[in-house]
Amino acid sequence: MKLLFVCLGNICRSPAAENIMNHLVAQAGMSDRIECDSAGTASYHTGNPPDRRMRAAAANRDLPMVGKARQFTKADFTAFDLILAMDRENYHNILALDPQGQYRDKVKLMCDFATQHPDKEVPDPYYGGAEGFDYVIDLLVDACSGLLQELETTTAKKV
Ligand code: 4NP
C-alpha cells in the first residue's frame, strides 16, 4: 500500500504527515506493507528540506522530520494507492490534474480520518506562529492514527 500526502509547498504539513505516518507504521510493525511519500501542488520549494519551524516542533516530540520537497505530478495518480490532501484547495488542485475523474476515488481529505479533532482541513501554519506547527502535529497524529486503523482493517479483510 503506497500513500502520498499532499499540501501546497511540501515543506510543512505533508512532510509532517509522511514522517508521522512512517513513525506510527513502524510502531505497528507494518513498515513492510505501508510506504509513504509526500508532495506539494506548487513547486516553489522543490528540493528544500522540511521547514525549520516544523523540524523544531517535531524534535520537541522526538519525531523524525526528513525529506526533500517535490511537486505533485500526474504520474503520482498511478504510482500511489491513496492520495491524502491536507486541505480543500490541495484536493481541488490535485483533481484538476485528473479531468476525467479516473483517479478521483484515490484522493481523500486527511482530516476525514481524524477522530479527536473536528477540523475539516489541516490549517496552513506557514505564515503563523510556532503554536500553529504544534497544532498541525497534534491533528496529524490523530488523522494518521485513524488512517492506520482503517488500513489495518482493510488489509485484514483482504487476507
Ligand atoms: P505547506 O505550507 O503547504 O504545509 O508546505 C506552505 C509552505 C510554503 C508556502 C505556503 C504554505 N508558501 O507560500 O511559500
Side-chain angles (χ1 to χ4, degrees):
M1 171 69 72
K2 292 184 73 178
L3 312 177
L4 183 66
F5 299 94
V6 181
C7 62
L8 175 63
N10 193 209
I11 54 167
C12 298
R13 293 165 292 174
S14 62
E18 176 192 351
N19 280 278
I20 289 167
M21 192 66 183
N22 271 331
H23 182 74
L24 296 177
V25 165
Q27 273 184 343
M30 292 178 74
S31 299
D32 55 337
R33 277 186 279 165
I34 300 175
E35 232 179 275
C36 303
D37 191 8
S38 65
T41 56
S43 63
Y44 339 115
H45 295 283
T46 295
N48 291 353
D51 187 283
R52 176 176 38 81
R53 297 164 295 173
M54 185 55 89
R55 281 186 275 139
N60 283 338
R61 304 179 193 215
D62 291 326
L63 283 168
M65 198 54 60
V66 295
K68 196 163 124 178
R70 71 168 179 93
Q71 189 171 18
F72 180 85
T73 72
K74 276 185 171 194
D76 291 319
F77 284 122
T78 46
F80 291 89
D81 300 298
L82 201 52
I83 297 168
L84 297 136
M86 297 298 126
D87 65 29
R88 291 190 186 96
E89 185 179 305
N90 309 145
Y91 179 84
H92 291 298
N93 286 335
I94 293 165
L95 287 186
L97 294 174
D98 173 32
Q100 311 217 323
Q102 259 180 287
Y103 304 108
R104 198 187 174 86
D105 293 346
K106 285 190 177 188
V107 188
K108 313 267 185 213
L109 273 170
M110 189 68 203
C111 282
D112 289 351
F113 297 93
T115 60
Q116 312 296 313
H117 292 79
D119 304 63
K120 295 291 172 212
E121 304 183 288
V122 182
D124 183 349
Y126 191 70
Y127 293 107
E131 67 289 348
F133 289 84
D134 280 327
Y135 186 74
V136 165
I137 292 181
D138 283 337
L139 179 54
L140 287 174
V141 168
D142 177 10
C144 286
S145 304
L147 174 60
L148 181 58
Q149 205 158 22
E150 187 139 328
L151 294 177
E152 279 172 330
T153 318
T154 46
T155 318
K157 269 188 210 148
K158 274 186 196 158
V159 176

